[in-house]
Amino acid sequence: MYDKDKDSFTLMVRDLVTGTLCDKPRADRVSNISWAMDGKALVYIVTNEDRRPYRLFCSIIGSNKDDILILEEPDENIYLNIRHTKDFRFITLNVFSDTHSKVYLIRASDPLSRMTLVWEGESQVHCIVEHHHGRLYLFTDAAREGVCVNSHYLMQCDVESPGPKSWKNVFLEEPGIILEDVDFCNTHMVLILRQGRKLRLCSVNLPLPEKIQVPAHLSDFHPLDLPLPDHVCQILSGPNYDYCSSTMRFTISSPVMPDAVVDYNLLNGKWQIVQQQNMLHERTKVLYGNAFASSAGKLSSDGADLSSEDLGDCDWNELSEYYACEYYDVPSKDGVLVPLTLVYSRKHKQEGNPGLLHGHGAYGEILDKRWRSELKSLLDRGWVIAYADVRGGGGYGKEWHRDGARTKKMNSIYDFVSCGEFLLEKGIIQENKLAGWGYSAGGLLVASAINTRPDLFRAAVLKVPFLDVCNTLLHPILPLTAIDYEEFGFPVDHEEFLSIKKYSPYDNIQKDVPYPAVFVTSSFNTRFGVWEAAKWVAKVRELTQYDPERPVILNLTTDVVEESKYLETKELATETAFLIKMVNNT
């Protein structure tokens, strides 16, 4: 149970037969748990007062004895994390610090037995171990023989002889293909692959054929490609708790289709949408999307009636009949091509539309390009919604992320500015009608872009932004982690301090220059301190040229907006109203 005041979780176990709470375990500050001994025991990790996961316990359900301490890490730089394999045969313990990462294997049938070291490598890497019929599979992005890799890869070894040197690659590396994720069930493994902008979802039968010597090409395993709609921008694996089921669930996202939760039958490749938001056609009560065209005619973009025979394949309830999705490669300041995605209404497309440019570019995270209902209000008013996949973000390999982090962070800002300039130069968006939008570290990106080119933007929305980078990293009031310093830099190093000082939004506000209208939202409960937003807004108001038609607004809440659907909807409506008023009134 989450304790909001302590910002931590308390662990208790309820007996579902009697409805009573068990005496053991009862623990505070629990970070994660895993079942063991066929549900007779619970293994869990607790954190210290600094929120560092440092102790591993085992509790026998129903026992009056104290929980058994399996491991304690006194080193302040070492963190613990556990998860169980999907078949519940093993528990994996990840031990990681700023210098190394290790993975240990614990038998779930005997969690108090000796742990086995199965993998070790450098710090800040992603490692997931799974088990299938006597084989261990490792999904990781760790360096190979000391050489950094550009994407994740999959390895395997025998469970009877595991060890850091026992792993073999499963697939041969193929140029241009990135393995984004892998999921397992008893009969198949499913791979999510990216080739440029195109995503691919395919299943491979398990166990792998003995006659095929690994590593081998993916095609040697005769993968079955699972059907996907056009313009897929993200595929997320569902919980898929039932290891014995050959049906696996995924969430399919697209800029022109509401998220679809889809069940795929891996035995025959057939699929079924189990949940998807329906959309209303503009101000009518008519449901629209290709899925509704098979049973009834629908309005086209120009109002004409279209029968289902004219629409071809109507299985996916996508909105591409109404909204177009286009792709461009935009040259940045140093000539690197930055992927730019545009979405607009076919009915309202014209020369000189207003536009909203989204960006994030941090932590190697993929930019959220999913269809979001709040953007429909802008699209139906003729706005162009643009997404700039700047360096520092994810989806194009680890090198793409590294080229926008630490001392190279300015690349992210140059990429974003170049995409904005491209939209105006090509006439896609009218001069003086471009707005920017950034969330969290994306707020840093947009605010830095405004400092670089304040004349480029008419308005901007910064949601819980990271604005005072230099001071926050020098004086970590916030619970910063090694990942934050890896991303933005270590200011104790002189070169990195100068780099941070160069892009930090608070430290680079231009004096006596007209700035765009800005709407800054923050909360007293946000991870990035509310003072950052307040300081930035105050300094912009003080230094920049005053214009009553370009207000700099600070919107603060005492609650976590994401915890309340009402507050979230209210904030989104306010942001949209702000953008329409600031941009459409020019």
Side-chain angles (χ1 to χ4, degrees):
M1 296 191 299
Y2 179 65
D3 188 323
K4 190 174 182 179
D5 294 330
K6 295 180 181 178
D7 190 22
S8 64
F9 288 88
T10 299
L11 172 65
M12 290 178 280
V13 174
R14 184 185 297 279
D15 188 324
L16 295 180
V17 176
T18 63
T20 59
L21 293 173
C22 300
D23 293 332
K24 299 284 184 179
R26 295 207 178 190
D28 292 325
R29 299 199 306 260
V30 173
S31 59
N32 58 337
I33 64 173
S34 180
W35 290 102
M37 297 170 59
D38 292 330
K40 298 183 180 67
L42 198 60
V43 179
Y44 63 92
I45 287 179
V46 298
T47 64
N48 63 8
E49 293 180 353
D50 295 326
R51 303 184 187 183
R52 179 179 68 90
Y54 77 122
R55 283 179 177 170
L56 177 66
F57 286 93
C58 178
S59 176
I60 308 300
I61 306 298
S63 172
N64 293 324
K65 296 181 179 179
D66 291 340
D67 296 348
I68 302 165
L69 178 63
I70 300 176
L71 178 68
E72 180 175 1
E73 273 294 347
D75 191 329
E76 289 296 321
N77 294 317
I78 295 181
Y79 297 76
L80 306 179
N81 182 69
I82 57 170
R83 65 178 297 275
H84 61 77
T85 57
K86 296 194 72 173
D87 61 0
F88 285 94
R89 296 288 184 89
F90 297 94
I91 297 169
T92 58
L93 170 66
N94 287 61
V95 180
F96 53 96
S97 71
D98 54 4
T99 59
H100 69 271
S101 298
K102 295 181 180 180
V103 180
Y104 292 88
L105 204 63
I106 303 172
R107 290 192 178 273
S109 59
D110 186 10
L112 301 179
S113 62
R114 183 181 175 185
M115 296 182 290
T116 305
L117 177 65
V118 295
W119 185 88
E120 60 181 333
E122 75 274 20
S123 64
Q124 306 302 329
V125 293
H126 182 228
C127 300
I128 298 292
V129 174
E130 277 296 345
H131 173 257
H132 182 275
H133 291 214
R135 291 270 178 86
L136 293 175
Y137 289 88
L138 173 65
F139 178 66
T140 184
D141 60 354
R144 287 172 167 162
E145 299 177 354
V147 179
C148 292
V149 298
N150 197 38
S151 63
H152 286 78
Y153 55 94
L154 188 67
M155 296 194 291
Q156 71 170 23
C157 75
D158 197 309
V159 74
E160 297 302 326
S161 56
K165 299 183 184 297
S166 303
W167 297 96
K168 293 182 179 179
N169 287 322
V170 176
F171 303 115
L172 289 169
E173 189 174 347
E174 299 185 46
I177 297 180
I178 293 174
L179 177 60
E180 288 210 332
D181 202 1
V182 61
D183 203 349
F184 289 83
C185 68
N186 193 38
T187 56
H188 294 80
M189 69 172 158
V190 179
L191 309 171
I192 300 175
L193 304 166
R194 180 183 292 272
Q195 190 166 8
R197 288 190 175 96
K198 188 174 178 60
L199 284 169
R200 179 183 173 193
L201 186 66
C202 63
S203 65
V204 174
N205 289 345
L206 289 178
L208 298 178
E210 294 288 345
K211 62 182 179 181
I212 298 179
Q213 295 293 318
V214 296
H217 290 285
L218 175 61
S219 57
D220 295 335
F221 297 101
H222 306 292
L224 172 65
D225 277 274
L226 303 173
L228 293 170
D230 295 331
H231 307 297
V232 175
C233 63
Q234 192 173 28
I235 302 173
L236 295 177
S237 181
N240 295 318
Y241 292 124
D242 190 352
Y243 179 73
C244 296
S245 173
S246 294
T247 297
M248 294 184 72
R249 180 165 294 180
F250 295 86
T251 299
I252 312 298
S253 301
S254 161
V256 289
M257 182 186 77
D259 282 4
V261 181
V262 184
D263 280 351
Y264 287 95
N265 185 332
L266 305 180
L267 299 176
N268 55 25
K270 293 184 178 179
W271 55 276
Q272 177 187 8
I273 295 177
V274 294
Q275 185 182 30
Q276 188 176 27
Q277 181 185 11
N278 293 326
M279 302 304 300
L280 296 178
H281 180 61
E282 297 197 356
R283 294 180 177 83
T284 72
K285 294 184 179 180
V286 178
L287 290 171
Y288 72 154
N290 288 349
F292 298 100
S294 57
S295 57
K298 66 174 185 175
L299 293 175
S300 69
S301 57
D302 59 2
D305 185 83
L306 295 176
S307 64
S308 58
E309 288 76 18
D310 299 324
L311 295 169
D313 186 5
C314 297
D315 289 328
W316 293 96
N317 184 28
E318 58 177 0
L319 308 175
S320 55
E321 177 68 23
Y322 303 92
Y323 304 100
C325 186
E326 295 180 357
Y327 305 99
Y328 296 90
D329 290 314
V330 179
S332 187
K333 183 177 181 179
D334 57 358
V336 172
L337 296 179
V338 181
L340 180 67
T341 304
L342 302 185
V343 181
Y344 59 87
S345 168
R346 296 184 187 274
K347 180 179 179 181
H348 299 286
K349 178 68 168 116
Q350 60 189 31
E351 288 297 320
N353 293 55
L356 182 63
L357 180 61
H358 289 248
H360 186 70
Y363 299 110
E365 294 177 0
I366 295 174
L367 179 63
D368 185 6
K369 298 190 284 285
R370 298 174 301 155
W371 170 270
R372 299 203 305 277
S373 56
E374 68 268 17
L375 295 178
K376 182 178 182 297
S377 178
L378 294 177
L379 289 168
D380 290 344
R381 285 175 166 86
W383 284 58
V384 175
I385 308 298
Y387 302 91
D389 277 300
V390 302
R391 281 171 285 184
Y396 298 92
K398 291 182 70 175
E399 194 64 36
W400 189 260
H401 170 216
R402 287 191 289 264
D403 281 347
R406 297 183 76 163
T407 57
K408 298 180 179 180
K409 187 62 186 172
M410 282 302 299
N411 286 339
S412 301
I413 294 127
Y414 293 143
D415 292 352
F416 192 77
V417 169
S418 296
C419 287
E421 292 171 341
F422 175 86
L423 292 170
L424 299 183
E425 289 168 3
K426 297 297 181 182
I428 298 170
I429 292 174
Q430 185 178 327
E431 193 82 28
N432 204 32
K433 286 200 172 183
L434 174 64
W437 191 96
Y439 172 79
S440 189
L444 180 158
L445 173 73
V446 177
S448 296
I450 291 172
N451 286 339
T452 306
R453 283 288 309 278
D455 59 308
L456 188 63
F457 302 92
R458 180 64 180 83
V461 172
L462 310 179
K463 291 177 69 74
V464 290
F466 187 22
L467 297 172
D468 193 12
V469 186
C470 201
N471 284 316
T472 297
L473 293 179
L474 279 170
H475 310 285
I477 301 171
L478 303 176
L480 298 176
T481 66
I483 295 175
D484 295 305
Y485 290 104
E486 280 289 328
E487 185 64 35
F488 301 110
F490 292 87
V492 293
D493 179 275
H494 183 67
E495 182 186 355
E496 297 201 5
F497 171 79
L498 294 177
S499 172
I500 296 167
K501 197 79 172 175
K502 186 177 180 181
Y503 72 76
S504 177
Y506 180 72
D507 297 295
N508 291 281
I509 298 168
Q510 295 193 40
K511 191 174 183 180
D512 297 328
V513 172
Y515 261 46
V518 187
F519 188 78
V520 184
T521 68
S522 191
S523 165
F524 288 96
N525 292 301
T526 185
R527 179 169 176 267
F528 294 125
V530 68
W531 57 88
E532 294 202 10
K535 284 174 66 177
W536 187 86
V537 166
K539 196 170 183 180
V540 169
R541 289 172 177 170
E542 177 190 357
L543 295 182
T544 62
Q545 185 175 312
Y546 174 71
D547 184 348
E549 294 186 357
R550 299 186 178 212
V552 180
I553 300 171
L554 178 61
N555 181 43
L556 299 179
T557 63
T558 55
D559 298 304
V560 179
V561 174
E562 288 77 11
E563 289 183 358
S564 168
K565 194 66 179 176
Y566 170 77
L567 287 176
E568 196 171 6
T569 304
K570 181 182 177 182
E571 187 173 275
L572 292 171
T574 308
E575 292 170 10
T576 304
F578 170 82
L579 289 170
I580 292 171
K581 182 170 179 62
M582 293 300 109
V583 175
N584 283 11
N585 287 357
T586 55

